[in-house]
Amino acid sequence: MCEKVLRPAIAYFTCVKETKTTCLDQRRENFVMKVCIIGAGVIGLSTAQSIYQHFHSRVSPLTIEVYADIFTPLTTSDGAAGLWQPYLYDKGNVKETQWNKETFNYLLSFLASPDSVKMGIFLQSGYNLCAEPMPEPSFKEAVLGFRQLSKRELEMFPGYSFGWFNTALMIEGKTYLPWLMNWLKQKGVTFFQRKIDSFKELSDSGADVIINCSGVRSGELQPDPELQPARGQIIKVDAPWLKHWVITHDSTSGVYDSPYIIPGSRLVTVGGVFQVGNWNRLNSSVDHKGIWEAACKLEPSLQHARIVEDWTGLRPARSKVRLEREVIRSGGHSFEIIHNYGHGGFGLTIHRGCAEEAARLFGQFLEQKGLLAAQAKSRL
Amino acid sequence: MKRVKVVVVGAGVVGLSTAVCIAETLPYCSVTLISEKFSPHTTSDGAAGILLPKEFPGIPLERQQQWFKKSFDHLLAIADSPQASDAGVYLSSGYQVFKDVPRDKKPFWADLVFGFRYMTDHELKRFPDHKFGQAFTTLKCECLSYLPWLEQRFIAVGGQIIHEKVTDLHKLALNYDAIINCSGLGSRFLLKDEEVYPVRGQILKLHAPWLKNFIRDGDGNTYIYPGIRFVSVGGTRQADDWRMELDERDREGILERSVRLEPSLRAAAILGEWVGLRPARENLRLEREYVNVGGRAVPLVHNYGHGSCGVTLSWGTALDALHLLRKSLLEKPPQARL
């Protein structure tokens, strides 16, 4: 009956009205679209949101469930400073640049809304510092007021002779994730605190589509040699006079392996290290010392700041984000997986763009199965 | 040689800066600071302390630029040091937005702050009521911290402090070799200078720690200045208004206008409110005259009338006052007091 959806446009709309009921009845009898998302960091939660937004009225009933062993405030997303900023260069991953920009514009649109504070979104300006002239970064068009630093400004940062200034967004995980969870709960999305040991486990329990947002531990579900932890340690400091983020770049040491200072709404995050292959979740006093000394050199006023705590997180680093569909066949069954992991140190930065793309892939799946009530192209 | 006795009247940001300037630079002077009010009860203490000059019509632009530049450089060195948090001095970036395009799009101080540029269309989207804007980075100097910090510097070089209201400069001249008048609005009474008048300003102190950038309406009536522990939101500019009491309507007006500029302020709790009287004058008075007492000509250096630019011009005018003092002492070495 659902094939009727493929008729020419003129008859399309009326046709859909007729057949929609039929399809729905069939589905109600045989089929509930159940989407199970693994992971409740910013990627998992925002993907749930995008899927709900795009499909709750077009696929009925649509059940969305989120499975994770760790929820806010203990996820990797919660520990991140929350500065929207991609790596300087996308190395040809133009889609990622697009998703980053999409996320920026999406968050920016909420700034004037009554929800902005509850979402943990606000603007902050700052400095990207380099030891030598570098090509302009991938995000220069996305951010506000991007410009080069003047010589006078650079005098404030001995050791750095080049850099940029711009205004970007902050998106604090510790606030954003609870907001997302609340949003999802209100829409009927359910949460399960459970470690998922295999995709099959979920498929066996009725999942039609599994969205894999398991971040750094994705390898436990499906080996992926390209995915590695990139350990980061940060120091949270009380220094409320600091109003700019400062990120230094060292072409020899790599991204985030160079000091950075990112003021948040309450505390300032000081980092950083980027230790690929290091699974150690414990704070290291050696790293603490290195980070602190470098930061105090960069920002002398930190010397009188009160240190509150250290935190360690494992960035889910990958050569590029894995955002794609996969059909897994097991014992006569096949089930659909949409992977959305490997966002390294830019999960918050890219989350919405990726969530929308994941939703688009889900839509593709639905269309292929003929499960989608016709797209209201007649949305005149 | 006996030390030259200098007295500075007024312990706001101008008086304290001047006193420190003199005490640290002239070892042959012993400096006393005399004032009715000290931090946290001065006008300076309520000021947000954003360095942003206004143009005085009757003073050569170059002199005003020098005042600002010297103040900026002095405070920048503090901001860039471990002392920054004790002194309450740090960098602050933000926007000045205009409902109508101003005649003077690039003010005289544009090259003295950091990164001055016009706002992009993308940036202006957030301000639908405004057609034009400037973006820049300047300094913020919070007197609640800065004044006590300056006081410590002053005492460290032997400065003396007297808590007393000065009502008669002639009497003061009997006991000192030089007087520096930094009495702000008080000059109206102390000197009978009718050109000094109050410009009343009311502000709210809001809890909005997510705000990092300042926003100021170019008309000067609305401004949002994120500080260390609270955001200063204002304001009013009521000339010849001496009221020190809070005005309910002013509060409503300030809140309404500031929320329009920055909607997230809707969520901000009110921590406090404050009223101050800016010591306005058409032109800042920075010049030297003499007071004749008992056959002596005592130099009287005036350094007042900074209006809303007290913090902004404090160090530059202090240096100028120091220069005038030094000149006076060289021209007419102090004679023995009776």
Side-chain angles (χ1 to χ4, degrees):
Chain A
M1 285 299 111
C2 291
E3 301 94 280
K4 281 207 186 150
V5 172
L6 300 169
R7 280 223 199 129
I10 298 157
Y12 195 60
F13 196 52
T14 27
C15 168
V16 165
K17 260 185 24 185
E18 287 164 16
T19 54
K20 188 176 172 179
T21 333
T22 326
C23 284
L24 274 179
D25 288 345
Q26 275 195 334
R27 273 204 300 283
R28 281 207 187 97
E29 287 174 69
N30 319 328
F31 195 74
V32 169
M33 174 54 57
K34 187 153 118 166
V35 178
C36 292
I37 294 167
I38 306 175
V42 69
I43 300 297
L45 297 181
S46 59
T47 303
Q49 183 184 40
S50 285
I51 286 178
Y52 179 89
Q53 284 175 323
H54 286 280
F55 297 108
H56 80 277
S57 61
R58 300 172 62 198
V59 175
S60 199
L62 174 67
T63 301
I64 303 175
E65 296 175 349
V66 176
Y67 291 82
D69 56 354
I70 292 178
F71 287 84
T72 178
L74 301 169
T75 71
T76 310
S77 309
D78 289 291
L83 171 65
W84 183 99
Q85 183 164 295
Y87 296 170
L88 287 186
Y89 310 109
D90 62 23
K91 299 190 181 137
N93 290 326
V94 289
K95 274 205 195 144
E96 286 181 16
T97 297
Q98 185 48 42
W99 292 331
N100 287 326
K101 187 169 184 182
E102 204 184 313
T103 306
F104 188 89
N105 290 332
Y106 168 74
L107 295 172
L108 194 64
S109 72
F110 281 96
L111 261 190
S113 88
D115 277 347
S116 67
V117 176
K118 290 202 207 120
M119 288 171 78
I121 299 174
F122 54 94
L123 288 174
Q124 187 169 202
S125 304
Y127 304 85
N128 275 292
L129 304 172
C130 311
E132 73 226 325
M134 307 259 278
E136 289 190 326
S138 62
F139 53 81
K140 69 172 218 221
E141 303 289 332
V143 295
L144 299 171
F146 179 88
R147 65 171 174 85
Q148 255 188 36
L149 288 172
S150 64
K151 246 178 88 180
R152 236 179 106 219
E153 284 174 300
L154 287 162
E155 279 167 22
M156 291 192 287
F157 305 106
Y160 298 96
S161 60
F162 184 82
W164 309 287
F165 184 93
N166 65 259
T167 302
L169 280 163
M170 294 287 296
I171 164 115
E172 295 188 314
K174 280 210 174 71
T175 306
Y176 191 56
L177 264 55
W179 181 84
L180 269 174
M181 286 201 56
N182 201 48
W183 190 97
L184 292 167
K185 279 183 186 155
Q186 281 184 6
K187 306 290 193 277
V189 173
T190 44
F191 295 86
F192 299 87
Q193 175 154 30
R194 207 172 100 199
K195 181 158 196 276
I196 302 301
D197 292 313
S198 68
F199 295 130
K200 188 169 181 303
E201 187 188 321
L202 280 178
S203 152
D204 285 348
S205 71
D208 296 302
V209 177
I210 297 167
I211 323 248
N212 175 22
C213 305
S214 53
V216 75
R217 287 182 289 153
S218 250
E220 290 174 29
L221 290 166
Q222 188 187 87
D224 181 351
E226 286 185 62
L227 177 70
Q228 289 210 285
R231 182 181 173 281
Q233 184 168 323
I234 53 157
I235 305 171
K236 295 258 189 209
V237 156
D238 184 24
W241 59 90
L242 294 179
K243 307 289 184 190
H244 299 82
W245 41 264
V246 182
I247 318 276
T248 65
H249 302 273
D250 182 343
S251 44
T252 57
S253 59
V255 69
Y256 295 131
D257 217 11
S258 190
Y260 61 80
I261 296 164
I262 303 172
S265 61
R266 263 191 346 113
L267 299 173
V268 178
T269 300
V270 174
V273 290
F274 193 94
Q275 298 154 348
V276 180
N278 189 347
W279 282 98
N280 188 358
R281 290 181 183 272
L282 297 176
N283 296 319
S284 142
S285 56
V286 171
D287 285 336
H288 176 105
K289 191 159 176 283
I291 291 165
W292 190 245
E293 277 171 13
C296 286
K297 238 177 89 181
L298 184 60
E299 177 54 63
S301 73
L302 275 177
Q303 289 168 41
H304 289 198
R306 181 176 65 95
I307 295 178
V308 174
E309 61 184 356
D310 274 45
W311 180 84
T312 293
L314 307 179
R315 303 174 185 88
R318 202 173 184 274
S319 55
K320 65 183 219 278
V321 174
R322 186 175 184 201
L323 184 38
E324 61 189 7
R325 289 170 59 188
E326 182 183 2
V327 179
I328 294 189
R329 287 166 224 287
S330 157
H333 290 299
S334 69
F335 46 92
E336 173 85 14
I337 316 246
I338 298 176
H339 295 286
N340 188 5
Y341 68 87
H343 306 80
F346 50 92
L348 288 160
T349 296
I350 203 174
H351 78 273
R352 177 69 179 186
C354 287
E356 290 287 282
E357 173 68 13
R360 196 186 66 78
L361 293 174
F362 176 61
Q364 222 178 53
F365 161 79
L366 290 174
E367 257 170 34
Q368 282 169 4
K369 297 286 179 183
L371 296 170
L372 204 55
Q375 172 70 292
K377 283 186 176 107
S378 51
R379 208 176 307 173
L380 295 163
Chain B
M1 179 189 127
K2 235 179 124 166
R3 283 166 98 198
V4 174
K5 286 185 70 179
V6 178
V7 65
V8 177
V9 180
V13 68
V14 174
L16 250 178
S17 299
T18 307
V20 166
C21 217
I22 297 170
E24 284 183 350
T25 313
L26 304 179
Y28 58 84
C29 288
S30 88
V31 188
T32 301
L33 177 64
I34 183 165
S35 179
E36 181 191 4
K37 302 240 175 80
F38 284 80
S39 177
H41 305 294
T42 72
T43 309
S44 309
D45 288 294
I50 287 274
L51 261 67
L52 190 57
K54 238 170 64 173
E55 199 175 317
F56 293 107
I59 299 175
L61 217 51
E62 211 202 291
R63 195 174 184 206
Q64 296 185 57
Q65 281 172 323
Q66 276 305 301
W67 284 341
F68 181 56
K69 183 176 188 316
K70 298 223 168 95
S71 307
F72 192 94
D73 290 344
H74 167 80
L75 290 170
L76 180 62
I78 297 172
D80 219 7
S81 78
Q83 301 282 314
S85 57
D86 288 338
V89 184
Y90 50 96
L91 289 173
S92 181
S93 295
Y95 300 131
Q96 181 164 229
V97 291
F98 297 80
K99 295 199 180 80
D100 298 298
V101 182
R103 199 181 25 188
D104 189 14
K105 284 161 81 173
K106 194 171 180 225
F108 76 90
W109 43 266
D111 291 329
L112 300 172
V113 294
F114 287 135
F116 182 94
R117 60 178 175 83
Y118 301 148
M119 285 167 72
T120 62
D121 289 336
H122 195 193
E123 289 174 303
L124 276 166
K125 271 209 185 117
R126 265 210 304 148
F127 304 101
D129 296 337
H130 298 79
K131 297 201 184 82
F132 171 79
Q134 301 152 339
F136 53 92
T137 301
T138 182
L139 290 160
K140 192 172 192 289
C141 172
E142 297 188 4
C143 287
L144 278 172
S145 304
Y146 186 57
L147 295 191
W149 185 80
L150 275 181
E151 225 180 276
Q152 276 185 18
R153 257 174 85 169
F154 182 61
I155 293 168
V157 286
Q160 299 288 306
I161 290 184
I162 298 177
H163 288 245
E164 197 181 294
K165 181 173 180 173
V166 173
T167 51
D168 188 337
L169 284 175
H170 277 84
K171 252 173 76 179
L172 204 59
L174 288 172
N175 299 314
Y176 292 94
D177 300 312
I179 304 172
I180 323 286
N181 170 32
C182 306
S183 56
L185 195 53
S187 282
R188 190 178 165 106
F189 310 103
L190 197 54
L191 305 168
K192 308 279 188 295
D193 183 352
E194 302 272 298
E195 289 187 59
V196 181
Y197 63 99
V199 174
R200 181 180 176 280
Q202 183 167 320
I203 58 149
L204 285 132
K205 301 181 185 184
L206 301 183
H207 179 71
W210 60 87
L211 285 185
K212 308 292 180 186
N213 286 0
F214 67 80
I215 304 172
R216 182 182 195 270
D217 192 312
D219 67 15
N221 290 328
T222 312
Y223 47 83
I224 298 160
Y225 294 133
I228 296 177
R229 295 287 173 199
F230 54 83
V231 178
S232 297
V233 167
T236 65
R237 251 165 238 284
Q238 298 142 328
D240 291 308
D241 191 336
W242 292 88
R243 289 176 303 144
M244 289 298 292
E245 308 79 45
L246 295 165
D247 186 316
E248 178 83 38
R249 269 172 323 171
D250 287 338
R251 182 198 306 131
E252 303 300 322
I254 292 165
L255 279 172
E256 193 230 313
R257 279 177 278 121
S258 53
V259 167
R260 250 217 307 278
L261 272 186
E262 177 54 65
S264 74
L265 281 177
R266 267 188 237 111
I270 298 176
L271 296 174
E273 297 177 79
W274 181 85
V275 175
L277 306 179
R278 301 173 184 84
R281 200 172 185 274
E282 194 192 354
N283 289 299
L284 195 161
R285 189 176 180 202
L286 187 37
E287 61 191 9
R288 188 245 9 240
E289 61 170 316
Y290 285 96
V291 180
N292 289 302
V293 272
R296 294 187 303 132
V298 177
L300 171 57
V301 175
H302 296 293
N303 187 8
Y304 68 90
H306 295 66
S308 55
C309 303
V311 174
T312 297
L313 302 175
S314 53
W315 198 255
T317 51
L319 285 170
D320 223 342
L322 166 68
H323 169 74
L324 288 174
L325 172 68
R326 238 209 295 239
K327 226 168 78 136
S328 311
L329 295 175
L330 286 172
E331 283 169 7
K332 290 192 191 182
Q335 295 161 279
R337 282 182 296 275
L338 293 169

